């Protein structure tokens, strides 16, 4: 059979089998194999590897797109030198993802701008790269979703915020939580307890949660389940957002100190 006909048939079959990457690189790979005297096995291996890498990248892109993450950040982009008080070993070991297998929760606590969302997001991206399902939501959005599902009688069944291997609930503490909302959040925490990991970020210390949730009994039950199997990371440093300003203000402060 002439080469053109073979290429035509290959093209049709690759389309039918949904192997677009092989289709795109086929002729180049074959040409390179001829030039470099590579074996049939090597050619097949190269083609399949190309397709697998491409498929994995597409899965990652789609999962990240629907995850709701506010931005994509990685641990490599996190500057430890800006938070010298942070236990680097503790953070590094979080990113080996063994906490996921134990269904441990991770809580990042600290004032605004210290990198809570950055670290939570980086952790979610790492989970996604490891083939896990993720879901990001702010506390305010989660409460809205829980309310809508509750009033629609769906009780959240099959919802990503319940089923994902890792759910990030960002910004607990920015909005006060009413009585009904408190119960809905408790049910959310209880549903994931010992089944899957939840990452929480908060600008409030646990001692302030009772005030935030308006119901000391429920808040104890929530914290009990959240903290039973958990890793708590306290970040006590300065806001990264204000780093330029702090540097500019430093001489002024020093001057005042000397006076
Ligand atoms: P918050 O603690 O309020 O959630 P963020 O994680 O959103 O703060 O951080 C605010 C901004 O500063 C983000 O763009 C984040 O990527 C960046 N940032 C915070 N801490 C660091 C850090 N140590 N190294 C690099 N970037 C950081
Ligand atoms: Mg944040």
């Amino acid at each position: 059979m002439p080469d053109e006909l073979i290429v035509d048939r290959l093209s049709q079959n690759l389309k039918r089998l949904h192997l677009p990457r092989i289709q795109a690189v086929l002729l180049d790979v074959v040409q390179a194999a001829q030039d470099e005297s590579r074996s049939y096995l090597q050619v097949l291996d190269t083609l399949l590897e190309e397709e697998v890498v491409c498929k994995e990248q597409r899965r990652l892109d789609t999962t990240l797109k629907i995850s709701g993450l506010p931005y994509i950040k990685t641990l490599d982009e996190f500057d430890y030198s800006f938070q010298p008080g942070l236990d680097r070993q503790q953070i590094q070991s979080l990113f080996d993802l063994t906490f996921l297998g134990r269904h441990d929760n991770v809580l990042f606590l600290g004032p605004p701008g210290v990198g809570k969302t950055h670290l939570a997001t980086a952790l979610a991206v790492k989970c996604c790269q490891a083939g896990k399902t993720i879901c990001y939501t702010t506390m305010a959005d989660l409460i809205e979703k829980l309310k809508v599902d509750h009033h629609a009688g769906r009780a959240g069944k099959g919802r990503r915020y319940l089923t994902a291997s890792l759910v990030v609930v960002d910004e607990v503490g920015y909005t006060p939580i009413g009585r009904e909302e408190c119960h809905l959040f408790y049910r959310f925490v209880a549903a994931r307890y010992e089944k899957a990991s939840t990452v929480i970020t908060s600008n409030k210390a646990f001692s302030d949660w009772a005030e935030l949730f308006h119901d000391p009994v429920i808040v104890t039950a929530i914290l009990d389940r959240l903290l039973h199997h958990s890793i708590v990371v306290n970040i006590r440093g300065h806001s990264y957002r204000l780093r330029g300003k702090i540097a500019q203000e430093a001489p002024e402060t020093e001057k005042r100190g000397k006076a």
Side-chain angles (χ1 to χ4, degrees), residues 12-183:
Q12 281 167 22
N13 284 337
L14 288 171
K15 206 173 271 172
R16 198 180 283 175
L17 293 168
H18 304 294
L19 300 169
R21 184 63 192 161
I22 294 187
Q23 185 156 14
V25 299
L26 180 67
L27 295 182
D28 288 344
V29 171
V30 168
Q31 186 60 56
Q34 281 169 354
D35 296 346
E36 295 159 24
S37 310
R38 303 179 78 208
S39 71
Y40 297 126
L41 268 182
Q42 283 173 321
V43 172
L44 195 57
D45 181 49
T46 305
L47 288 173
L48 290 181
E49 192 62 21
E50 282 274 350
E51 189 65 50
V52 167
V53 168
C54 186
K55 248 192 187 110
E56 178 54 23
Q57 189 57 49
R58 275 205 305 273
R59 185 198 68 80
L60 196 61
D61 290 346
T62 310
T63 317
L64 288 176
K65 209 176 278 174
I66 62 167
S67 66
L69 287 170
Y71 48 65
I72 305 298
K73 291 272 163 120
T74 63
L75 187 59
D76 291 341
E77 295 167 84
F78 190 79
D79 180 3
Y80 284 103
S81 67
F82 190 75
Q83 296 297 353
L86 203 56
D87 182 347
R88 190 180 181 135
Q89 191 69 38
Q90 184 191 33
I91 302 295
Q92 293 292 138
S93 64
L94 272 181
F95 281 76
D96 66 17
L97 303 186
T98 47
F99 76 91
L100 272 186
R102 298 191 300 263
H103 305 149
D104 288 354
N105 299 319
V106 181
L107 295 99
F108 294 107
L109 304 182
V114 292
K116 302 182 298 296
T117 303
H118 183 132
L119 290 172
T121 300
L123 210 47
V125 171
K126 181 81 195 278
C127 287
C128 194
Q129 287 166 339
K132 304 289 180 190
T133 48
I134 59 163
C135 170
Y136 169 96
T137 172
T138 60
M139 180 65 165
D141 285 349
L142 175 67
I143 293 292
E144 265 327 294
K145 284 179 215 153
L146 291 172
K147 275 205 269 196
V148 168
D149 285 340
H150 177 67
H151 291 300
R154 287 197 290 263
K157 279 209 176 71
R159 286 285 181 269
R160 273 194 315 123
Y161 62 72
L162 285 184
T163 57
S165 301
L166 187 86
V167 173
V168 177
V169 183
D170 203 6
E171 300 179 355
V172 174
Y174 283 99
T175 38
I177 315 292
R179 186 166 290 272
E180 184 206 2
E181 297 165 341
C182 219
H183 279 82

Side-chain angles (χ1 to χ4, degrees), residues 158-230:
R159 286 285 181 269
R160 273 194 315 123
Y161 62 72
L162 285 184
T163 57
S165 301
L166 187 86
V167 173
V168 177
V169 183
D170 203 6
E171 300 179 355
V172 174
Y174 283 99
T175 38
I177 315 292
R179 186 166 290 272
E180 184 206 2
E181 297 165 341
C182 219
H183 279 82
L184 291 173
F185 186 62
Y186 165 74
R187 276 200 230 161
F188 161 80
V189 170
R192 292 185 60 81
Y193 174 61
E194 295 191 331
K195 290 201 189 76
S197 298
T198 306
V199 176
I200 302 267
T201 82
S202 181
N203 60 335
K204 295 269 194 303
F206 296 132
S207 50
D208 297 331
W209 279 38
E211 201 183 316
L212 177 73
F213 281 87
H214 294 293
D215 187 333
V217 178
I218 287 286
V219 85
T220 306
I222 289 171
L223 282 175
D224 197 53
R225 278 158 185 76
L226 273 182
L227 297 179
H228 182 197
H229 309 289
S230 67

